[in-house]
Amino acid sequence: MRTFKIDIASSLPYLLELLSIKDSGMEKISMSPEGKKDRLIEIMKQIILKGSEIRPLVMAIEDLHWVDKSTEDALKYFLESIPGVKILLIFTYRPEFVHTWGRKSYHNQLTLNRLSNRESLVMVKKPAWN
């Protein structure tokens, strides 16, 4: 965390709590659950943005169609911070999922056609890259 120039003492309890580590130190922090969530999102954003200053990052988030409202809100908040930074975000989701960032200039969407039953069996038996 020193590499990212983030205050370890004030950030570590939030990260330990996220990882379900006992004795994370969160019990000593008097803050609303919403405040704790907002602080954690801010810490994660800072780590990711600082990491992209060191080297370009590629982040993949799969099955976005199953994401809860809170996580979707956090992703929207994060997406507002990435224009001009060296981060490639890849999201996978089912066609029925509707997101709100499609109008961003830095957004591009690729739609993949479904595999037929025959094609999917071929993929299981023999990968296409062989």
Side-chain angles (χ1 to χ4, degrees):
M1 301 253 286
R2 287 185 186 102
T3 303
F4 300 128
K5 297 178 183 155
I6 294 173
D7 181 37
I8 296 173
S10 65
S11 302
L12 194 56
Y14 296 91
L15 297 172
L16 293 175
E17 181 76 11
L18 177 67
L19 298 171
S20 300
I21 305 292
K22 291 183 180 181
D23 302 322
S24 65
M26 285 300 289
E27 64 281 351
K28 298 174 187 173
I29 299 173
S30 67
M31 185 185 290
S32 70
E34 190 69 25
K36 289 178 182 180
K37 179 186 81 168
D38 291 345
R39 178 71 180 125
L40 175 61
I41 291 168
E42 186 61 32
I43 291 166
M44 291 178 64
K45 181 183 95 169
Q46 291 301 319
I47 291 171
I48 292 167
L49 292 177
K50 295 287 185 182
S52 74
E53 292 173 7
I54 297 168
R55 68 172 51 111
L57 296 178
V58 177
M59 296 175 57
I61 301 174
E62 295 184 328
D63 298 326
L64 201 57
H65 51 275
W66 287 333
V67 75
D68 61 18
K69 175 86 170 99
S70 180
T71 304
E72 185 175 359
D73 289 344
L75 287 171
K76 287 179 195 176
Y77 172 72
F78 177 67
L79 284 166
E80 295 299 321
S81 305
I82 67 166
V85 298
K86 299 174 193 169
I87 298 176
L88 173 63
L89 286 172
I90 300 170
F91 297 120
T92 66
Y93 51 88
R94 292 182 180 163
E96 61 271 10
F97 178 76
V98 179
H99 55 79
T100 59
W101 52 82
R103 295 186 182 130
K104 303 289 184 192
S105 63
Y106 48 86
H107 172 266
N108 194 6
Q109 181 171 338
L110 301 173
T111 303
L112 303 177
N113 295 323
R114 291 185 179 266
L115 294 174
S116 68
N117 286 342
R118 184 167 190 247
E119 290 169 323
S120 63
L121 289 173
V122 169
M123 291 295 292
V124 171
K125 292 179 183 176
K126 179 181 174 188
W129 56 86
N130 282 345

